Amino acid sequence: MHTLRGYLVGTLLLAMVAATVSSHASGQVVRSLPNDSNIASNLSVVRYKTDAQGVTFSLSRGVMRVQVCEGDIIRVEYAPAASLPIKHSLSVNRIWGKPRFHVHGSAASITIQTSSLKVSVSRNTGSITFADLKNHVILAEAGENSKSVTPDEVSGVNTNRIENLYQSPASEALYGLGQHQDDILDLKGANEHILNANTEINIPVLVSNRGYGLFWDNASPSDFYGDVDNDTEFRYVSQCGNMVDYYFFYGPSLGKVVSLYRVATGAAPMFPKWAYGLFQSKDKYNSQAELEAVKNGYRNNHIPLDCIVQDWDYWSPFAWGSHIMNPARYPNPKALLTDFHNAHIHGMISIWPVYEDVANPTNPGEDHNFNEINRLGAFYPSTGTHHFYDSFNAKARAVVYRQIYDDLLGKYGWDGIWADNTEPQPYPDAFNMRTVNTSLGKGVLNINAYPLEHSRALYDGWRTVGPHGKRVYILTRSAFAGQQRYATTCWSGDIQCNFATLQRQIPAGLNFASAGMPYWTTDIGGYWGHTKNWKTSANNELFTRWFEYGTFCPIFRIHGGGTRELYSDSWSDTTKATLLKFDNLRYRLMPYIYSLAWKVTSQGYTIMRPLVFDYQNDPNVYNIKDQFLFGPAFMINPVTTANAVTRSVYFPAGKWFDFWTGASITGGTSHVVATPLNEIPIYVKAGSVVPMGPFIQYANESANPLEIRVYSGASGSFKLYEDEGNTYNYEKGKYSVIPFTWNDNARQLTIGSRTGSFNGMLASRTFHIVVVGAHNGTGVRLGQPNYTVHYTGAKVVISLNSR
């Protein structure tokens, strides 16, 4: 039963206000505050009212509400009006309950206490301080100027400028806000413009090493200023809105902060298992014959691959948005997809949110899709014949997906959607997204949410219309908060092909992940390689180093201009051997990666993350932007300069194993390590249990037997997750989990009882247990087992006493 404490109705003397006065949730509680000469701010508290979900404050200028969403999630709203405007969030989809909290006060503040937090509102300034239950300040708004709503005109719209100001101690480090190409990881002292563009993806979520996160629920063009008052404050400013509206999340671990963001905005569903394998893409394959040749090139050369991608322009010379695959170049797309599927390869196709108005159609039905959407009045005007549809229009979203299904996915059997140009960038014809009329008002009001709503069209359409029996997979160039719930991966856009660009992708991806978005990738090698001679040794080196890094991105994908298939003559024999080694490594790690994917879905986990996520109290890691963690076991250290033979690696506290040799290093210091071209430094944390599969050609190939690598020196555990791989039966509980627990002191590995089942599950398994040491259980090759277990689902305890 929900219990609520607040003030008794009435006016008390100021001396009495310092005491806590209680009430119960039998009704709302209103408290009027005394007149006092010290209460002078234009946001001073006049009275407040409690209800089952929070406290509403009447201020000397406007109204503020502090909503207790959960014990560790707080929403703050403020407007200079008699009441708060009604708002429907595009990002937050959680329906909040009635968590327990109580309210008490002092002469200086009113405090809302939850199971995890004390949220104090200054009587004098209306500013908010968030503290833990031991009164340690986590975050504080910066006094009476911390919140403002100022009338303004933007792109012809009468609106308001929304500002939030927060204190930031010198020891604070800040992360997130999406993907930016400025080579910055720690945003303390940095400024970021929050407006989606090609290569710039903006998620207004900020996390701090102090254990909190903020989400500003505003999709208009915005700016983050991390350098206010000599870096002692940070400010978030949105061009449009009618109120301050932000969410506060308290971990205190950063992983928990991100998981709370997903509690508010939606869990990321499981991708089909094939999506964790290698994608081969190019700008662009021009015929069915080319695509068949790529399939044969990989399979005939025994190179692991899961997806081949058809990029844009397959419709030419027919209209954009017609979804016609030119029959002169693609005579039988359905047979193509059948050939793919018979070879255990999946197909993804590029689909833009752009439609062309053709005056004289040359193919029957060429203008059907345009006309159907045009009848809804759901196109934005442009300077030419190409028009983006209004993704904020629910009817248009439904029509757009049905056309995609009827013309491509349902008709031919394509397995994934590449949603290109979703910022949207004004191409092929110019238009001004700020001034167009959308179903939610002028475009500028929600400009950053265009990709969110387009992803919604694709995901909701797929789950409703079909193809049924296949999980949704969407690759998109842009995003906004909440988009993870629509089964999307983002890539970093149309980037250059050089080492400096490779280097910038690492912090870009880490801040994207820190902003709560779990799936991200790059064009391995860079995009603008159309005229590049990939055969040179310098470009072989660039591609090799990028491929080594890409192996440990959540999604593993080759794309761009030029010939880059792993079997092609662009690569020397030495380069091919290295590329195959890392491709095989990705596939051997498939049991590990797929289990982490389940953790993303079920626990709000982050696979690829900066070191600060796991070493939050180590100032040495706060601005390390060229190392990252891949799951709980691996620390990845890419090489981002040409001709490098060494690089410096910082090792956080603990014992670490060299993945390639099995040698161990004690953490807490930096070391210069070798970087031969056929390797990057990879280290595994002591206590890790890493399941590795056999050498396979595609993700769904048999994962039996498994090699279970144990990295001694600390205790640890891992849960192996398995399911059918491409259906949504996991949502009905059709999956299995096998727990592995390593007790380092006892030198004992416990394989727990398997829970759950699914169609096609292996009833019995073989586990080769390998305790990693010098030159055993190292690198990509199979390790020599210390023990072999024939597992049938019952608990097994293995003692491994030899050291």
Side-chain angles (χ1 to χ4, degrees), residues 80-152:
S83 61
L84 291 169
I86 297 173
K87 176 179 177 179
H88 172 68
S89 175
L90 296 175
S91 296
V92 177
N93 67 344
R94 182 79 166 197
I95 298 174
W96 304 110
K98 299 177 180 179
R100 296 175 63 90
F101 64 90
H102 65 271
V103 179
H104 59 91
S106 69
S109 63
I110 302 100
T111 298
I112 304 165
Q113 183 168 330
T114 75
S115 58
S116 302
L117 292 167
K118 292 182 178 179
V119 183
S120 298
V121 177
S122 167
R123 296 177 185 273
N124 187 44
T125 65
S127 63
I128 300 175
T129 299
F130 301 89
D132 64 20
L133 297 182
K134 296 181 179 180
N135 297 313
H136 299 134
V137 173
I138 305 163
L139 173 68
E141 293 182 341
E144 63 182 282
N145 297 316
S146 61
K147 296 180 287 289
S148 66
V149 179
T150 307
D152 199 2

Coordinates of all heavy atoms in Angstrom, one line a residue, residues 80-152:
P80 N 6.6 29.0 -16.3 CA 6.2 30.3 -15.7 C 4.7 30.5 -16.0 O 4.4 31.5 -16.6 CB 7.1 31.3 -16.4 CG 7.3 30.7 -17.8 CD 7.4 29.2 -17.6
A81 N 3.9 29.6 -15.5 CA 2.5 29.7 -15.7 C 1.7 29.2 -14.5 O 2.3 28.7 -13.5 CB 2.1 28.9 -16.9
A82 N 0.4 29.3 -14.5 CA -0.4 28.9 -13.4 C -0.4 27.4 -13.3 O -0.6 26.8 -12.2 CB -1.8 29.5 -13.4
S83 N -0.3 26.7 -14.4 CA -0.3 25.2 -14.4 C 0.7 24.7 -15.4 O 1.1 25.5 -16.4 CB -1.7 24.7 -14.6 OG -2.1 25.1 -15.9
L84 N 1.1 23.5 -15.3 CA 2.1 22.9 -16.3 C 1.3 22.5 -17.5 O 0.2 22.0 -17.5 CB 2.7 21.7 -15.7 CG 3.7 21.9 -14.6 CD1 4.1 20.6 -13.9 CD2 5.0 22.7 -15.1
P85 N 1.9 22.7 -18.7 CA 1.3 22.3 -19.9 C 1.2 20.8 -20.0 O 2.0 20.1 -19.5 CB 2.2 22.9 -21.0 CG 3.5 23.1 -20.4 CD 3.2 23.4 -18.9
I86 N 0.2 20.3 -20.7 CA 0.0 18.9 -21.0 C 1.0 18.5 -22.0 O 1.1 19.1 -23.1 CB -1.4 18.5 -21.4 CG1 -2.4 18.8 -20.2 CG2 -1.5 17.0 -21.8 CD1 -3.8 18.7 -20.6
K87 N 1.8 17.4 -21.8 CA 2.8 17.0 -22.8 C 2.8 15.5 -23.0 O 2.6 14.7 -22.0 CB 4.2 17.4 -22.2 CG 5.3 16.9 -23.1 CD 6.7 17.4 -22.5 CE 7.8 16.8 -23.4 NZ 9.1 17.3 -22.8
H88 N 2.9 15.1 -24.3 CA 3.1 13.7 -24.6 C 4.5 13.5 -25.1 O 4.9 14.1 -26.1 CB 2.1 13.3 -25.7 CG 2.3 11.9 -26.2 ND1 2.1 10.8 -25.5 CD2 2.8 11.5 -27.4 CE1 2.5 9.7 -26.2 NE2 2.9 10.1 -27.4
S89 N 5.3 12.8 -24.3 CA 6.7 12.6 -24.7 C 6.8 11.6 -25.9 O 6.2 10.6 -25.9 CB 7.5 12.1 -23.5 OG 8.8 11.8 -23.9
L90 N 7.7 12.0 -26.8 CA 8.0 11.0 -27.9 C 9.0 10.0 -27.4 O 9.1 8.9 -28.0 CB 8.5 11.8 -29.1 CG 7.6 12.8 -29.8 CD1 8.3 13.6 -30.9 CD2 6.4 12.1 -30.3
S91 N 9.7 10.3 -26.4 CA 10.8 9.4 -25.9 C 10.5 8.5 -24.8 O 10.8 7.3 -24.8 CB 12.1 10.3 -25.6 OG 12.6 11.0 -26.7
V92 N 9.8 9.1 -23.8 CA 9.5 8.3 -22.6 C 8.2 7.6 -22.8 O 7.1 8.2 -23.0 CB 9.4 9.2 -21.4 CG1 9.0 8.5 -20.1 CG2 10.7 10.0 -21.1
N93 N 8.2 6.3 -22.7 CA 7.0 5.4 -22.9 C 6.6 4.7 -21.7 O 5.7 3.9 -21.7 CB 7.2 4.5 -24.1 CG 8.3 3.4 -23.8 OD1 9.0 3.5 -22.8 ND2 8.3 2.3 -24.6
R94 N 7.3 4.9 -20.6 CA 7.0 4.2 -19.3 C 5.7 4.9 -18.7 O 5.6 6.1 -18.6 CB 8.1 4.3 -18.4 CG 8.0 3.6 -17.1 CD 8.2 2.1 -17.2 NE 8.4 1.4 -15.9 CZ 8.9 0.2 -15.8 NH1 9.3 -0.5 -16.9 NH2 9.0 -0.4 -14.6
I95 N 4.8 4.0 -18.2 CA 3.7 4.5 -17.4 C 4.1 4.3 -15.9 O 4.3 3.2 -15.5 CB 2.4 3.7 -17.7 CG1 2.0 4.0 -19.2 CG2 1.3 4.2 -16.8 CD1 0.8 3.2 -19.6
W96 N 4.3 5.4 -15.2 CA 4.9 5.3 -13.9 C 3.8 4.9 -12.8 O 2.6 5.3 -12.9 CB 5.5 6.6 -13.5 CG 6.6 7.1 -14.4 CD1 6.5 8.1 -15.3 CD2 7.8 6.5 -14.6 NE1 7.6 8.2 -16.0 CE2 8.5 7.2 -15.6 CE3 8.5 5.4 -14.1 CZ2 9.8 6.9 -16.1 CZ3 9.8 5.1 -14.5 CH2 10.4 5.9 -15.5
G97 N 4.2 4.2 -11.8 CA 3.3 3.8 -10.7 C 3.3 4.8 -9.6 O 3.5 6.0 -9.8
K98 N 3.1 4.3 -8.4 CA 3.1 5.2 -7.2 C 4.1 4.7 -6.2 O 3.8 4.0 -5.3 CB 1.7 5.1 -6.6 CG 0.6 5.6 -7.6 CD -0.8 5.5 -7.0 CE -1.9 6.0 -7.9 NZ -3.2 5.9 -7.4
P99 N 5.4 5.1 -6.4 CA 6.4 4.6 -5.5 C 6.3 5.3 -4.1 O 5.7 6.3 -3.9 CB 7.7 5.1 -6.2 CG 7.3 6.3 -7.0 CD 5.9 6.0 -7.4
R100 N 6.9 4.6 -3.1 CA 6.9 5.2 -1.8 C 7.9 6.3 -1.6 O 9.0 6.3 -2.1 CB 7.2 4.1 -0.8 CG 6.2 2.9 -0.7 CD 6.7 1.8 0.2 NE 6.8 2.3 1.6 CZ 5.9 2.3 2.5 NH1 4.7 1.8 2.2 NH2 6.1 2.7 3.7
F101 N 7.5 7.4 -1.0 CA 8.4 8.5 -0.6 C 7.7 9.3 0.5 O 6.5 9.1 0.8 CB 8.6 9.4 -1.9 CG 7.4 10.1 -2.4 CD1 7.0 11.3 -1.9 CD2 6.6 9.5 -3.4 CE1 5.8 12.0 -2.4 CE2 5.4 10.1 -3.8 CZ 5.1 11.4 -3.4
H102 N 8.5 10.1 1.1 CA 7.9 11.0 2.1 C 8.6 12.4 2.0 O 9.6 12.5 1.4 CB 8.0 10.5 3.5 CG 9.4 10.3 4.1 ND1 10.1 9.2 3.9 CD2 10.1 11.1 4.8 CE1 11.3 9.3 4.5 NE2 11.3 10.5 5.1
V103 N 7.9 13.4 2.5 CA 8.3 14.8 2.4 C 8.5 15.4 3.8 O 7.7 15.1 4.7 CB 7.2 15.6 1.7 CG1 7.5 17.0 1.5 CG2 6.8 15.0 0.3
H104 N 9.6 16.1 3.9 CA 9.9 16.8 5.2 C 10.6 18.1 4.9 O 11.0 18.3 3.8 CB 10.6 15.9 6.2 CG 12.0 15.4 5.6 ND1 13.1 16.1 5.8 CD2 12.3 14.3 4.9 CE1 14.1 15.5 5.3 NE2 13.7 14.4 4.7
G105 N 10.7 18.9 5.9 CA 11.2 20.3 5.6 C 12.1 20.8 6.7 O 12.1 20.3 7.8
S106 N 12.7 21.9 6.3 CA 13.5 22.7 7.2 C 13.2 24.1 6.9 O 12.5 24.4 6.0 CB 15.0 22.3 7.1 OG 15.5 22.8 5.9
A107 N 13.9 25.0 7.6 CA 13.7 26.4 7.3 C 14.2 26.8 5.9 O 13.8 27.8 5.4 CB 14.5 27.3 8.4
A108 N 15.1 26.0 5.4 CA 15.7 26.3 4.1 C 15.1 25.6 2.9 O 15.2 26.1 1.8 CB 17.2 26.1 4.1
S109 N 14.6 24.4 3.1 CA 14.2 23.6 2.0 C 13.1 22.6 2.3 O 12.8 22.3 3.5 CB 15.4 22.8 1.5 OG 15.9 21.9 2.5
I110 N 12.5 22.1 1.3 CA 11.5 21.0 1.3 C 12.2 19.8 0.7 O 12.7 19.9 -0.4 CB 10.2 21.3 0.6 CG1 9.6 22.6 1.2 CG2 9.3 20.1 0.7 CD1 9.8 23.8 0.4
T111 N 12.2 18.7 1.4 CA 12.9 17.5 0.9 C 12.0 16.3 0.7 O 11.2 16.0 1.5 CB 14.0 17.1 1.9 OG1 15.0 18.1 2.0 CG2 14.8 15.8 1.4
I112 N 12.1 15.7 -0.5 CA 11.4 14.5 -0.9 C 12.4 13.4 -0.8 O 13.4 13.3 -1.4 CB 10.8 14.6 -2.3 CG1 10.0 15.9 -2.5 CG2 10.1 13.4 -2.7 CD1 9.7 16.2 -3.9
Q113 N 12.1 12.4 0.1 CA 13.0 11.3 0.3 C 12.4 10.0 -0.3 O 11.2 9.7 0.0 CB 13.3 11.1 1.8 CG 14.3 10.0 2.0 CD 14.8 10.0 3.5 OE1 14.9 11.0 4.1 NE2 15.2 8.8 3.9
T114 N 13.1 9.3 -1.1 CA 12.7 8.1 -1.7 C 13.6 7.0 -1.1 O 14.4 7.2 -0.2 CB 12.9 8.1 -3.2 OG1 14.3 8.0 -3.6 CG2 12.4 9.4 -3.9
S115 N 13.5 5.8 -1.7 CA 14.3 4.7 -1.2 C 15.8 4.8 -1.5 O 16.6 4.2 -0.9 CB 13.8 3.4 -1.9 OG 13.9 3.5 -3.3
S116 N 16.1 5.8 -2.4 CA 17.5 5.9 -2.8 C 18.0 7.4 -2.7 O 19.2 7.6 -2.7 CB 17.7 5.5 -4.3 OG 17.3 4.1 -4.4
L117 N 17.1 8.3 -2.7 CA 17.5 9.7 -2.9 C 16.8 10.7 -1.9 O 15.8 10.4 -1.3 CB 17.1 10.2 -4.3 CG 17.8 9.6 -5.5 CD1 17.0 9.9 -6.7 CD2 19.2 10.1 -5.6
K118 N 17.5 11.8 -1.7 CA 16.9 13.0 -1.0 C 16.9 14.1 -2.1 O 18.0 14.5 -2.5 CB 17.6 13.4 0.2 CG 17.5 12.4 1.4 CD 18.3 12.8 2.6 CE 18.1 11.8 3.7 NZ 18.8 12.3 5.0
V119 N 15.7 14.6 -2.4 CA 15.6 15.6 -3.4 C 15.1 16.9 -2.7 O 13.9 16.9 -2.2 CB 14.6 15.2 -4.6 CG1 14.6 16.3 -5.6 CG2 15.0 13.9 -5.1
S120 N 16.0 17.9 -2.6 CA 15.7 19.0 -1.8 C 15.4 20.2 -2.7 O 16.2 20.5 -3.6 CB 16.8 19.4 -0.8 OG 17.0 18.3 0.1
V121 N 14.3 21.0 -2.4 CA 14.0 22.2 -3.1 C 14.2 23.4 -2.2 O 13.6 23.4 -1.1 CB 12.5 22.1 -3.6 CG1 12.1 23.4 -4.3 CG2 12.3 20.9 -4.5
S122 N 15.0 24.3 -2.6 CA 15.3 25.5 -1.9 C 14.0 26.3 -1.8 O 13.4 26.7 -2.8 CB 16.4 26.3 -2.5 OG 16.5 27.6 -1.9
R123 N 13.6 26.8 -0.6 CA 12.5 27.6 -0.4 C 12.7 29.0 -1.1 O 11.8 29.6 -1.6 CB 12.2 27.8 1.1 CG 11.8 26.6 1.8 CD 11.5 26.9 3.3 NE 11.2 25.7 4.1 CZ 10.0 25.2 4.2 NH1 9.0 25.8 3.6 NH2 9.9 24.1 4.9
N124 N 14.0 29.4 -1.0 CA 14.3 30.8 -1.5 C 14.4 30.9 -3.0 O 14.0 31.9 -3.6 CB 15.6 31.3 -0.8 CG 15.9 32.7 -1.1 OD1 15.0 33.5 -1.1 ND2 17.1 33.0 -1.4
T125 N 15.0 29.8 -3.6 CA 15.3 29.9 -5.1 C 14.6 28.9 -5.9 O 14.6 29.0 -7.2 CB 16.8 29.7 -5.3 OG1 17.2 28.4 -4.9 CG2 17.7 30.7 -4.5
G126 N 14.0 27.9 -5.3 CA 13.3 26.9 -6.1 C 14.3 26.0 -6.8 O 13.9 25.1 -7.5
S127 N 15.6 26.1 -6.5 CA 16.6 25.2 -7.1 C 16.6 23.9 -6.4 O 16.2 23.8 -5.2 CB 17.9 25.8 -7.1 OG 18.4 26.0 -5.7
I128 N 17.0 22.8 -7.1 CA 16.9 21.5 -6.6 C 18.3 20.9 -6.4 O 19.2 21.1 -7.2 CB 16.1 20.6 -7.6 CG1 14.7 21.1 -7.8 CG2 16.1 19.1 -7.2 CD1 13.9 20.4 -8.9
T129 N 18.4 20.2 -5.3 CA 19.7 19.4 -5.0 C 19.3 18.0 -4.8 O 18.4 17.6 -4.1 CB 20.3 20.0 -3.7 OG1 20.7 21.3 -3.9 CG2 21.6 19.2 -3.4
F130 N 20.1 17.1 -5.5 CA 19.9 15.7 -5.4 C 21.0 15.1 -4.6 O 22.2 15.4 -4.9 CB 20.0 15.0 -6.8 CG 18.9 15.5 -7.8 CD1 19.2 16.7 -8.6 CD2 17.7 14.9 -7.9 CE1 18.2 17.1 -9.5 CE2 16.7 15.4 -8.8 CZ 17.0 16.5 -9.6
A131 N 20.7 14.4 -3.5 CA 21.7 13.8 -2.6 C 21.3 12.3 -2.4 O 20.2 11.9 -2.5 CB 21.7 14.6 -1.3
D132 N 22.3 11.6 -1.9 CA 22.0 10.2 -1.5 C 21.5 10.2 -0.1 O 21.3 11.3 0.5 CB 23.3 9.3 -1.7 CG 24.4 9.7 -0.8 OD1 24.2 10.4 0.2 OD2 25.6 9.3 -1.1
L133 N 21.2 9.0 0.4 CA 20.6 9.0 1.7 C 21.5 9.3 2.9 O 21.1 9.5 4.0 CB 20.0 7.6 1.9 CG 18.9 7.1 1.0 CD1 18.4 5.7 1.3 CD2 17.7 8.1 1.0
K134 N 22.8 9.5 2.6 CA 23.8 9.9 3.6 C 24.1 11.4 3.4 O 25.0 11.9 4.0 CB 25.1 9.1 3.4 CG 24.9 7.6 3.8 CD 26.2 6.9 3.7 CE 26.0 5.4 4.0 NZ 27.3 4.6 3.9
N135 N 23.2 12.1 2.6 CA 23.3 13.5 2.4 C 24.6 14.0 1.6 O 24.9 15.1 1.6 CB 23.3 14.3 3.7 CG 22.0 14.1 4.5 OD1 20.9 14.2 3.9 ND2 22.1 13.8 5.7
H136 N 25.2 13.0 0.8 CA 26.2 13.4 -0.1 C 25.6 14.0 -1.4 O 24.8 13.3 -2.0 CB 27.1 12.2 -0.4 CG 27.8 11.6 0.8 ND1 27.8 10.2 1.0 CD2 28.4 12.2 1.8 CE1 28.5 10.0 2.1 NE2 28.9 11.2 2.6
V137 N 25.9 15.2 -1.7 CA 25.4 15.8 -2.9 C 25.8 15.1 -4.1 O 27.0 14.8 -4.4 CB 25.7 17.3 -2.9 CG1 25.2 17.9 -4.3 CG2 25.1 18.0 -1.8
I138 N 24.9 14.7 -5.0 CA 25.1 14.1 -6.2 C 25.1 15.1 -7.4 O 26.1 15.2 -8.2 CB 24.1 13.0 -6.5 CG1 24.0 12.0 -5.4 CG2 24.4 12.3 -7.9 CD1 22.7 11.2 -5.4
L139 N 24.1 16.0 -7.4 CA 24.0 17.0 -8.4 C 23.2 18.1 -7.8 O 22.2 17.9 -7.1 CB 23.3 16.5 -9.6 CG 22.9 17.5 -10.7 CD1 24.2 18.1 -11.4 CD2 22.0 16.9 -11.8
A140 N 23.5 19.4 -8.1 CA 22.8 20.5 -7.6 C 22.5 21.5 -8.8 O 23.5 21.8 -9.6 CB 23.5 21.2 -6.5
E141 N 21.3 21.9 -8.9 CA 21.0 23.0 -9.8 C 21.7 24.3 -9.3 O 22.0 24.4 -8.1 CB 19.5 23.3 -9.9 CG 18.8 22.2 -10.6 CD 17.3 22.5 -10.7 OE1 16.8 23.4 -10.0 OE2 16.6 21.9 -11.6
A142 N 22.0 25.2 -10.2 CA 22.9 26.4 -9.8 C 22.1 27.6 -9.4 O 22.0 28.6 -10.1 CB 23.8 26.7 -11.0
G143 N 21.4 27.5 -8.3 CA 20.8 28.6 -7.7 C 19.5 29.1 -8.4 O 18.9 28.4 -9.1
E144 N 19.2 30.4 -8.2 CA 17.9 30.9 -8.7 C 17.9 31.0 -10.2 O 16.8 31.2 -10.7 CB 17.6 32.3 -8.0 CG 18.7 33.4 -8.4 CD 18.3 34.7 -7.7 OE1 17.4 35.4 -8.1 OE2 19.0 35.0 -6.6
N145 N 19.0 31.0 -10.9 CA 19.0 31.0 -12.3 C 19.1 29.7 -13.0 O 19.4 29.5 -14.1 CB 20.2 31.9 -12.8 CG 20.1 33.3 -12.3 OD1 19.0 33.9 -12.4 ND2 21.2 33.8 -11.8
S146 N 18.8 28.6 -12.2 CA 19.0 27.3 -12.7 C 18.0 26.8 -13.7 O 18.2 25.9 -14.5 CB 19.0 26.3 -11.5 OG 17.7 26.3 -10.8
K147 N 16.8 27.5 -13.7 CA 15.7 27.1 -14.7 C 15.1 28.4 -15.2 O 14.8 29.3 -14.4 CB 14.6 26.3 -14.0 CG 15.1 24.9 -13.4 CD 14.0 24.2 -12.8 CE 13.6 24.8 -11.4 NZ 14.6 24.6 -10.4
S148 N 15.0 28.5 -16.5 CA 14.4 29.6 -17.1 C 13.6 29.3 -18.4 O 14.0 28.4 -19.1 CB 15.4 30.7 -17.4 OG 16.3 30.4 -18.4
V149 N 12.5 29.9 -18.6 CA 11.7 29.8 -19.8 C 11.4 31.2 -20.3 O 10.7 32.0 -19.7 CB 10.3 29.1 -19.5 CG1 9.5 28.9 -20.7 CG2 10.6 27.7 -18.8
T150 N 12.1 31.5 -21.4 CA 12.1 32.9 -21.9 C 11.4 33.0 -23.3 O 11.8 32.3 -24.2 CB 13.5 33.4 -22.1 OG1 14.2 33.2 -20.8 CG2 13.5 34.9 -22.5
P151 N 10.4 33.8 -23.5 CA 9.7 33.9 -24.8 C 10.7 34.3 -25.9 O 11.6 35.1 -25.7 CB 8.7 35.0 -24.5 CG 8.4 35.0 -23.1 CD 9.7 34.7 -22.4
D152 N 10.4 33.6 -27.0 CA 11.3 33.9 -28.2 C 10.6 33.5 -29.4 O 9.5 32.8 -29.4 CB 12.6 33.0 -28.0 CG 13.7 33.5 -28.9 OD1 13.6 34.5 -29.6 OD2 14.8 32.8 -28.9

